[in-house]
Amino acid sequence: MNIIRRILSASLAVVSCLGCRSQSVEPPVGVMSDRKLGFGVTEGSVGYELAFASAKHAGIQFIELPQQWDEIETSPGKYESEFVSLANRVYPALDTAIVLSLNPIDTNALRIPEHQRDSPWESDERIDAFCRWVDWTLAQLPDATVQAIAIGNEVDGWFAEHPEELAGYIDFFSAVVDHIHGKHPSIPVGVKITFAGRTGELVSDFNKLELSADVCMLTYYPLDESFQVRPPSSIEADFAEMIVFAEGRPIHLLEAGFPSGSACGSSLDIQAQFVDAMFAAWDKHVEALPVVNFVWTCDLSQAEVDTMTKYYGVELPAFAEYLGTLGLRTRDGNPKPAWSRVRDHVASRVK
């Protein structure tokens, strides 16, 4: 059972427990009105209801709901997922919007159903099949506020190894965006790309890809190629670079995180400095960059880290440390300095 599946399975408990157990979490700090704040809510050992309650009391406004195409469409036109309808029951009751990530690609993994593997990206067959899945998914969310839709997660991970497929994906993405605009014109659509990938060798191709996008969707972890942290002082320059290549599109940082582990050259104090630098840069560029989603609320267990390192196929010790110490709180729910900084920054910006 992966992290998202466990999180969503536990979510029903939130509605009944959020109020009755609120005494176990810090008091609410309020909600910022000039920007959108999200958290990647991981439950740690405290359980999802308390983890989400802590996020709610820290000002969360949206949560990302990732869905992998090959997990949902098990045969042509047959969809099996209780999680979307579950989200429709849970998050509207908690006044929490959803960013829907519908993934034919998840980083370096292709998430195409087996019966679609032989059709190219630009084919009517694949495009129509994906659009039918989009329609089915949105039909399960009649009560939810869908803040945005991402078509693919960190797709640069796949195209770095398969650049010959990128031209076809550009056509695929454009057709899917047109389809969503035709039925849901108020929902912005984009594609998630890592900041490193967006500024790398395929930058001109990603410029073409985003011509069809309403928003520039990025994931942002200030690390070098060996998973050593870059100084938080680099964030302001990174934001300025994002604004240049976004070319006027609103920037949604749908993942923003910074490990606290020493194997990544970090510490609890440096992670807290990252939060301070993020809010300082966000204040300066809030009109261009209205959305930030901090990852994660709690550190992962060793078993969860092992599962993810196997999925991504990266065996560097620093990579495991990066995954395992991204939490703003420890696995048992104790706040790291970074978590306290987030709460303080939100509280000072509530109007």
Short mmCIF file of all heavy atoms in Angstrom, two decimals, residues 19-67:
data_model
loop_
_atom_site.label_atom_id
_atom_site.label_comp_id
_atom_site.label_asym_id
_atom_site.label_seq_id
_atom_site.Cartn_x
_atom_site.Cartn_y
_atom_site.Cartn_z
N GLY A 19 -12.57 17.76 14.58
CA GLY A 19 -13.03 18.63 15.65
C GLY A 19 -12.80 18.05 17.03
O GLY A 19 -12.32 18.72 17.93
N CYS A 20 -13.08 16.74 17.18
CA CYS A 20 -13.05 16.17 18.52
C CYS A 20 -11.63 16.01 19.03
O CYS A 20 -11.43 15.89 20.24
CB CYS A 20 -13.77 14.83 18.54
SG CYS A 20 -12.98 13.52 17.59
N ARG A 21 -10.62 16.01 18.14
CA ARG A 21 -9.26 15.83 18.60
C ARG A 21 -8.42 17.08 18.39
O ARG A 21 -7.21 17.04 18.45
CB ARG A 21 -8.61 14.64 17.88
CG ARG A 21 -9.34 13.34 18.13
CD ARG A 21 -8.65 12.16 17.48
NE ARG A 21 -7.36 11.91 18.10
CZ ARG A 21 -6.57 10.89 17.75
NH1 ARG A 21 -6.93 10.07 16.80
NH2 ARG A 21 -5.41 10.71 18.35
N SER A 22 -9.09 18.20 18.12
CA SER A 22 -8.35 19.42 17.84
C SER A 22 -7.50 19.87 19.02
O SER A 22 -6.56 20.62 18.86
CB SER A 22 -9.31 20.54 17.43
OG SER A 22 -10.22 20.83 18.48
N GLN A 23 -7.85 19.39 20.25
CA GLN A 23 -7.05 19.78 21.39
C GLN A 23 -5.66 19.18 21.33
O GLN A 23 -4.77 19.58 22.08
CB GLN A 23 -7.75 19.34 22.70
CG GLN A 23 -7.75 17.84 22.95
CD GLN A 23 -8.91 17.13 22.28
OE1 GLN A 23 -9.59 17.70 21.43
NE2 GLN A 23 -9.16 15.90 22.67
N SER A 24 -5.42 18.20 20.44
CA SER A 24 -4.12 17.55 20.34
C SER A 24 -3.18 18.27 19.39
O SER A 24 -2.05 17.84 19.22
CB SER A 24 -4.31 16.10 19.87
OG SER A 24 -5.12 15.38 20.78
N VAL A 25 -3.63 19.32 18.73
CA VAL A 25 -2.81 20.04 17.77
C VAL A 25 -2.70 21.50 18.17
O VAL A 25 -3.45 21.99 19.02
CB VAL A 25 -3.38 19.92 16.34
CG1 VAL A 25 -3.44 18.47 15.91
CG2 VAL A 25 -4.76 20.55 16.25
N GLU A 26 -1.77 22.19 17.53
CA GLU A 26 -1.58 23.61 17.83
C GLU A 26 -2.83 24.40 17.43
O GLU A 26 -3.60 23.98 16.58
CB GLU A 26 -0.37 24.15 17.06
CG GLU A 26 0.92 23.38 17.27
CD GLU A 26 1.20 22.40 16.14
OE1 GLU A 26 0.23 21.83 15.59
OE2 GLU A 26 2.39 22.21 15.82
N PRO A 27 -3.04 25.55 18.01
CA PRO A 27 -4.21 26.36 17.66
C PRO A 27 -4.12 26.86 16.23
O PRO A 27 -3.03 27.00 15.67
CB PRO A 27 -4.16 27.52 18.66
CG PRO A 27 -2.73 27.59 19.09
CD PRO A 27 -2.23 26.18 19.07
N PRO A 28 -5.26 27.14 15.60
CA PRO A 28 -5.24 27.61 14.21
C PRO A 28 -4.61 29.00 14.09
O PRO A 28 -4.79 29.85 14.96
CB PRO A 28 -6.72 27.63 13.82
CG PRO A 28 -7.47 27.67 15.11
CD PRO A 28 -6.62 26.96 16.12
N VAL A 29 -3.89 29.19 12.99
CA VAL A 29 -3.23 30.48 12.75
C VAL A 29 -4.00 31.34 11.75
O VAL A 29 -3.66 32.51 11.56
CB VAL A 29 -1.79 30.28 12.24
CG1 VAL A 29 -0.95 29.57 13.29
CG2 VAL A 29 -1.76 29.52 10.92
N GLY A 30 -5.00 30.77 11.10
CA GLY A 30 -5.75 31.50 10.09
C GLY A 30 -5.32 31.11 8.69
O GLY A 30 -4.45 30.26 8.49
N VAL A 31 -5.93 31.76 7.70
CA VAL A 31 -5.69 31.45 6.29
C VAL A 31 -5.29 32.72 5.55
O VAL A 31 -5.92 33.77 5.71
CB VAL A 31 -6.97 30.85 5.66
CG1 VAL A 31 -6.78 30.64 4.16
CG2 VAL A 31 -7.33 29.53 6.33
N MET A 32 -4.25 32.62 4.75
CA MET A 32 -3.80 33.77 3.96
C MET A 32 -4.78 34.01 2.81
O MET A 32 -5.24 33.06 2.17
CB MET A 32 -2.40 33.52 3.42
CG MET A 32 -1.34 33.38 4.50
SD MET A 32 0.34 33.09 3.85
CE MET A 32 0.16 31.41 3.20
N SER A 33 -5.07 35.25 2.54
CA SER A 33 -6.06 35.58 1.51
C SER A 33 -5.44 35.98 0.18
O SER A 33 -6.14 36.03 -0.84
CB SER A 33 -6.96 36.73 2.00
OG SER A 33 -6.19 37.90 2.27
N ASP A 34 -4.14 36.27 0.16
CA ASP A 34 -3.52 36.75 -1.07
C ASP A 34 -2.74 35.68 -1.81
O ASP A 34 -2.06 35.97 -2.80
CB ASP A 34 -2.59 37.93 -0.76
CG ASP A 34 -1.41 37.55 0.13
OD1 ASP A 34 -1.51 36.51 0.83
OD2 ASP A 34 -0.41 38.29 0.14
N ARG A 35 -2.82 34.42 -1.36
CA ARG A 35 -2.07 33.32 -1.97
C ARG A 35 -2.68 32.00 -1.52
O ARG A 35 -3.50 31.96 -0.60
CB ARG A 35 -0.60 33.41 -1.58
CG ARG A 35 -0.36 33.21 -0.09
CD ARG A 35 1.03 33.63 0.34
NE ARG A 35 1.13 35.08 0.50
CZ ARG A 35 2.27 35.72 0.76
NH1 ARG A 35 3.40 35.04 0.87
NH2 ARG A 35 2.27 37.03 0.92
N LYS A 36 -2.26 30.91 -2.18
CA LYS A 36 -2.78 29.58 -1.86
C LYS A 36 -1.66 28.72 -1.27
O LYS A 36 -0.61 28.56 -1.88
CB LYS A 36 -3.34 28.90 -3.11
CG LYS A 36 -4.51 29.63 -3.76
CD LYS A 36 -5.75 29.60 -2.88
CE LYS A 36 -6.94 30.22 -3.61
NZ LYS A 36 -8.15 30.25 -2.75
N LEU A 37 -1.93 28.15 -0.11
CA LEU A 37 -0.96 27.31 0.59
C LEU A 37 -1.45 25.87 0.66
O LEU A 37 -2.59 25.62 1.04
CB LEU A 37 -0.75 27.84 2.02
CG LEU A 37 0.11 26.98 2.95
CD1 LEU A 37 1.57 26.97 2.49
CD2 LEU A 37 0.01 27.48 4.39
N GLY A 38 -0.59 24.95 0.28
CA GLY A 38 -0.90 23.54 0.42
C GLY A 38 0.19 22.82 1.20
O GLY A 38 1.30 23.35 1.39
N PHE A 39 -0.13 21.63 1.67
CA PHE A 39 0.85 20.75 2.29
C PHE A 39 0.67 19.35 1.72
O PHE A 39 -0.46 18.90 1.51
CB PHE A 39 0.66 20.67 3.81
CG PHE A 39 0.98 21.93 4.56
CD1 PHE A 39 -0.03 22.71 5.10
CD2 PHE A 39 2.29 22.34 4.73
CE1 PHE A 39 0.24 23.87 5.79
CE2 PHE A 39 2.59 23.51 5.43
CZ PHE A 39 1.56 24.28 5.96
N GLY A 40 1.79 18.67 1.49
CA GLY A 40 1.73 17.25 1.23
C GLY A 40 1.59 16.55 2.58
O GLY A 40 2.57 16.42 3.31
N VAL A 41 0.36 16.16 2.91
CA VAL A 41 0.08 15.65 4.26
C VAL A 41 0.49 14.18 4.35
O VAL A 41 -0.10 13.31 3.71
CB VAL A 41 -1.40 15.82 4.62
CG1 VAL A 41 -1.67 15.26 6.02
CG2 VAL A 41 -1.80 17.29 4.56
N THR A 42 1.52 13.93 5.14
CA THR A 42 1.92 12.56 5.46
C THR A 42 1.62 12.33 6.94
O THR A 42 1.80 13.22 7.77
CB THR A 42 3.41 12.35 5.18
OG1 THR A 42 4.16 13.49 5.66
CG2 THR A 42 3.67 12.20 3.69
N GLU A 43 1.17 11.13 7.25
CA GLU A 43 0.60 10.90 8.57
C GLU A 43 1.61 10.57 9.65
O GLU A 43 1.29 10.65 10.84
CB GLU A 43 -0.43 9.77 8.49
CG GLU A 43 0.14 8.44 8.06
CD GLU A 43 -0.94 7.38 7.91
OE1 GLU A 43 -2.05 7.60 8.42
OE2 GLU A 43 -0.67 6.35 7.30
N GLY A 44 2.84 10.20 9.27
CA GLY A 44 3.79 9.78 10.28
C GLY A 44 3.23 8.65 11.12
O GLY A 44 2.48 7.80 10.62
N SER A 45 3.53 8.67 12.40
CA SER A 45 2.97 7.65 13.29
C SER A 45 1.77 8.18 14.07
O SER A 45 1.21 7.47 14.91
CB SER A 45 4.05 7.18 14.28
OG SER A 45 4.50 8.25 15.09
N VAL A 46 1.36 9.44 13.79
CA VAL A 46 0.28 10.04 14.56
C VAL A 46 -1.09 9.78 13.94
O VAL A 46 -2.11 10.02 14.57
CB VAL A 46 0.49 11.56 14.72
CG1 VAL A 46 1.81 11.84 15.41
CG2 VAL A 46 0.41 12.28 13.38
N GLY A 47 -1.13 9.30 12.69
CA GLY A 47 -2.40 9.08 12.02
C GLY A 47 -2.80 10.28 11.18
O GLY A 47 -2.43 11.42 11.46
N TYR A 48 -3.57 10.00 10.13
CA TYR A 48 -3.88 11.06 9.17
C TYR A 48 -4.75 12.15 9.78
O TYR A 48 -4.61 13.32 9.46
CB TYR A 48 -4.57 10.47 7.94
CG TYR A 48 -4.73 11.48 6.83
CD1 TYR A 48 -3.70 11.74 5.95
CD2 TYR A 48 -5.91 12.20 6.68
CE1 TYR A 48 -3.83 12.67 4.93
CE2 TYR A 48 -6.05 13.14 5.67
CZ TYR A 48 -5.01 13.37 4.80
OH TYR A 48 -5.14 14.31 3.81
N GLU A 49 -5.68 11.77 10.67
CA GLU A 49 -6.59 12.79 11.18
C GLU A 49 -5.85 13.88 11.94
O GLU A 49 -6.13 15.07 11.77
CB GLU A 49 -7.70 12.17 12.04
CG GLU A 49 -7.24 11.44 13.29
CD GLU A 49 -6.93 9.98 13.06
OE1 GLU A 49 -6.68 9.60 11.90
OE2 GLU A 49 -6.94 9.22 14.04
N LEU A 50 -4.86 13.50 12.75
CA LEU A 50 -4.09 14.51 13.47
C LEU A 50 -3.13 15.25 12.55
O LEU A 50 -2.90 16.45 12.70
CB LEU A 50 -3.34 13.89 14.64
CG LEU A 50 -4.20 13.46 15.84
CD1 LEU A 50 -3.32 12.89 16.94
CD2 LEU A 50 -5.01 14.64 16.37
N ALA A 51 -2.54 14.52 11.59
CA ALA A 51 -1.63 15.16 10.65
C ALA A 51 -2.38 16.21 9.82
O ALA A 51 -1.88 17.32 9.61
CB ALA A 51 -0.99 14.12 9.74
N PHE A 52 -3.59 15.85 9.36
CA PHE A 52 -4.35 16.82 8.58
C PHE A 52 -4.85 17.97 9.45
O PHE A 52 -4.86 19.13 9.03
CB PHE A 52 -5.53 16.16 7.87
CG PHE A 52 -6.20 17.09 6.90
CD1 PHE A 52 -5.77 17.17 5.59
CD2 PHE A 52 -7.24 17.91 7.31
CE1 PHE A 52 -6.37 18.06 4.70
CE2 PHE A 52 -7.84 18.80 6.43
CZ PHE A 52 -7.40 18.87 5.12
N ALA A 53 -5.26 17.66 10.68
CA ALA A 53 -5.71 18.72 11.58
C ALA A 53 -4.59 19.73 11.82
O ALA A 53 -4.82 20.94 11.85
CB ALA A 53 -6.18 18.13 12.90
N SER A 54 -3.36 19.24 11.96
CA SER A 54 -2.23 20.15 12.14
C SER A 54 -2.03 21.02 10.91
O SER A 54 -1.76 22.22 11.02
CB SER A 54 -0.96 19.34 12.43
OG SER A 54 -1.04 18.68 13.67
N ALA A 55 -2.18 20.41 9.72
CA ALA A 55 -2.05 21.18 8.49
C ALA A 55 -3.18 22.21 8.37
O ALA A 55 -2.96 23.35 7.95
CB ALA A 55 -2.06 20.24 7.28
N LYS A 56 -4.38 21.80 8.76
CA LYS A 56 -5.52 22.72 8.70
C LYS A 56 -5.29 23.91 9.64
O LYS A 56 -5.57 25.06 9.29
CB LYS A 56 -6.80 21.99 9.08
CG LYS A 56 -8.07 22.74 8.72
CD LYS A 56 -8.22 22.88 7.22
CE LYS A 56 -9.49 23.65 6.84
NZ LYS A 56 -9.54 23.93 5.39
N HIS A 57 -4.75 23.64 10.80
CA HIS A 57 -4.50 24.71 11.76
C HIS A 57 -3.28 25.55 11.38
O HIS A 57 -3.05 26.60 11.98
CB HIS A 57 -4.34 24.13 13.16
CG HIS A 57 -5.63 23.70 13.76
ND1 HIS A 57 -5.76 23.36 15.09
CD2 HIS A 57 -6.87 23.55 13.22
CE1 HIS A 57 -7.02 23.02 15.34
NE2 HIS A 57 -7.70 23.12 14.22
N ALA A 58 -2.51 25.08 10.39
CA ALA A 58 -1.39 25.86 9.87
C ALA A 58 -1.75 26.63 8.61
O ALA A 58 -0.89 27.25 7.99
CB ALA A 58 -0.19 24.95 9.60
N GLY A 59 -3.03 26.56 8.20
CA GLY A 59 -3.49 27.40 7.10
C GLY A 59 -3.61 26.72 5.75
O GLY A 59 -3.69 27.40 4.73
N ILE A 60 -3.67 25.38 5.71
CA ILE A 60 -3.78 24.69 4.42
C ILE A 60 -5.06 25.10 3.70
O ILE A 60 -6.12 25.23 4.30
CB ILE A 60 -3.73 23.16 4.62
CG1 ILE A 60 -3.59 22.43 3.27
CG2 ILE A 60 -4.94 22.66 5.36
CD1 ILE A 60 -3.39 20.93 3.39
N GLN A 61 -4.93 25.30 2.38
CA GLN A 61 -6.08 25.65 1.55
C GLN A 61 -6.36 24.62 0.46
O GLN A 61 -7.46 24.58 -0.08
CB GLN A 61 -5.86 27.02 0.90
CG GLN A 61 -5.81 28.17 1.90
CD GLN A 61 -5.05 29.36 1.38
OE1 GLN A 61 -3.83 29.39 1.39
NE2 GLN A 61 -5.78 30.35 0.90
N PHE A 62 -5.36 23.82 0.11
CA PHE A 62 -5.57 22.79 -0.91
C PHE A 62 -4.65 21.61 -0.65
O PHE A 62 -3.66 21.71 0.08
CB PHE A 62 -5.31 23.35 -2.32
CG PHE A 62 -3.86 23.59 -2.64
CD1 PHE A 62 -3.09 22.60 -3.24
CD2 PHE A 62 -3.26 24.81 -2.36
CE1 PHE A 62 -1.75 22.82 -3.54
CE2 PHE A 62 -1.93 25.04 -2.65
CZ PHE A 62 -1.17 24.04 -3.25
N ILE A 63 -5.01 20.50 -1.26
CA ILE A 63 -4.20 19.29 -1.19
C ILE A 63 -4.10 18.70 -2.59
O ILE A 63 -5.03 18.83 -3.40
CB ILE A 63 -4.82 18.28 -0.20
CG1 ILE A 63 -3.83 17.18 0.15
CG2 ILE A 63 -6.13 17.70 -0.72
CD1 ILE A 63 -4.20 16.42 1.41
N GLU A 64 -2.98 18.10 -2.90
CA GLU A 64 -2.82 17.47 -4.21
C GLU A 64 -3.33 16.03 -4.16
O GLU A 64 -3.06 15.30 -3.21
CB GLU A 64 -1.35 17.47 -4.65
CG GLU A 64 -1.16 16.92 -6.05
CD GLU A 64 0.29 16.92 -6.51
OE1 GLU A 64 1.18 17.18 -5.68
OE2 GLU A 64 0.53 16.63 -7.69
N LEU A 65 -4.07 15.65 -5.20
CA LEU A 65 -4.61 14.31 -5.31
C LEU A 65 -4.03 13.65 -6.56
O LEU A 65 -4.52 13.85 -7.67
CB LEU A 65 -6.14 14.35 -5.40
CG LEU A 65 -6.87 13.02 -5.52
CD1 LEU A 65 -6.69 12.19 -4.25
CD2 LEU A 65 -8.35 13.24 -5.80
N PRO A 66 -2.94 12.89 -6.42
CA PRO A 66 -2.34 12.24 -7.59
C PRO A 66 -3.04 10.94 -7.95
O PRO A 66 -3.42 10.15 -7.07
CB PRO A 66 -0.89 11.98 -7.15
CG PRO A 66 -0.96 11.89 -5.67
CD PRO A 66 -2.14 12.70 -5.21
N GLN A 67 -3.22 10.73 -9.26
CA GLN A 67 -3.85 9.51 -9.76
C GLN A 67 -3.01 8.98 -10.93
O GLN A 67 -2.68 9.73 -11.86
CB GLN A 67 -5.28 9.80 -10.24
CG GLN A 67 -6.23 10.27 -9.15
CD GLN A 67 -6.67 9.14 -8.25
OE1 GLN A 67 -7.55 8.35 -8.59
NE2 GLN A 67 -6.06 9.04 -7.08
#
